Amino acid sequence: MSKIDPSLFSGQHGARPDEPCPRCGQPLHLRHGKHGAFLGCSAYPDCDYLRPLKVIEHDEDVEKPLEGSACPLCGHTLAIRKGRYGLFIGCSHYPSCHYVADINEQSSNEPPCPVCAKGRLVARTSRYGKRFYACDAYPGCRFIINDKPVAQACPKCGFGILAERKGRLYCPNKGCDHQQ
């Protein structure tokens, strides 16, 4: 007597032989789609019943609740969550509440934009997880810099900011080679 279930190797892709379609009574078959495996009715296209095998829950992406913090929209607890572009802070009652905050620290001493002088250079994160600094007056101003800006004017050319890379300050203005 074998301990292996022969129905696993029968070549027929079925869910379980005893599980009928709840709509029409035909057997359900295992199918594969771009979102993973699912059970579909064998009478397709006459019956379009399907059921995903993996149950999608929104609580899977909650990393850690932030105790003592409240959502400004609904008042529930905020949580550090994992999303498509990395970690972010969001309301724990998603999808009822869609509040999202950037996990990168935003300080009040952000230097002014040297190009438009209207906006401030704020930290942003690219879709690949890299940090960069851009003017918050976008799309009116498209100034962007990869290194951390420092609110000091360049002594050589007078450009509004200096940038810090590996502990050294340099002027990000094209054509200026000033370094400290």
Side-chain angles (χ1 to χ4, degrees), residues 101-117:
D102 191 7
I103 199 165
N104 297 328
E105 71 279 349
Q106 297 289 338
S107 60
S108 60
N109 58 359
E110 297 152 341
C113 178
V115 175
C116 70

Side-chain angles (χ1 to χ4, degrees), residues 114-132:
V115 175
C116 70
K118 295 176 186 171
R120 296 206 151 307
L121 296 179
V122 294
R124 307 254 186 220
T125 305
S126 72
R127 71 171 101 171
Y128 304 111
K130 294 269 194 173
R131 178 174 282 192
F132 65 95

Side-chain angles (χ1 to χ4, degrees), residues 9-86:
F9 301 101
S10 65
Q12 295 178 353
H13 292 291
R16 280 178 268 165
D18 60 339
E19 188 174 0
C21 174
R23 288 190 191 162
C24 68
Q26 295 292 323
L28 294 177
H29 288 285
L30 180 66
R31 307 278 187 203
H32 298 283
K34 67 179 182 178
H35 298 292
F38 64 94
L39 295 175
C41 183
S42 61
Y44 181 81
D46 296 330
C47 177
D48 61 352
Y49 175 80
L50 59 92
R51 183 179 72 217
L53 287 179
K54 181 180 176 186
V55 178
I56 300 171
E57 293 184 21
H58 294 289
D59 292 338
E60 290 178 7
D61 56 1
V62 173
E63 292 290 316
K64 180 181 175 188
L66 297 172
E67 299 301 326
S69 63
C71 175
L73 299 179
C74 67
H76 288 95
T77 308
L78 293 177
I80 297 176
R81 302 169 80 73
K82 190 186 322 178
R84 182 179 195 180
Y85 302 121

Side-chain angles (χ1 to χ4, degrees), residues 144-179:
I144 182 172
I145 186 170
N146 289 327
D147 299 318
K148 184 175 180 174
V150 178
Q152 285 182 350
C154 176
K156 189 173 181 182
C157 70
F159 194 65
I161 62 167
L162 292 176
E164 181 181 354
R165 180 187 297 161
K166 297 180 183 175
R168 301 185 69 170
L169 294 177
Y170 72 96
C171 180
N173 191 12
K174 292 182 181 178
C176 182
D177 57 353
H178 175 73
Q179 291 187 3

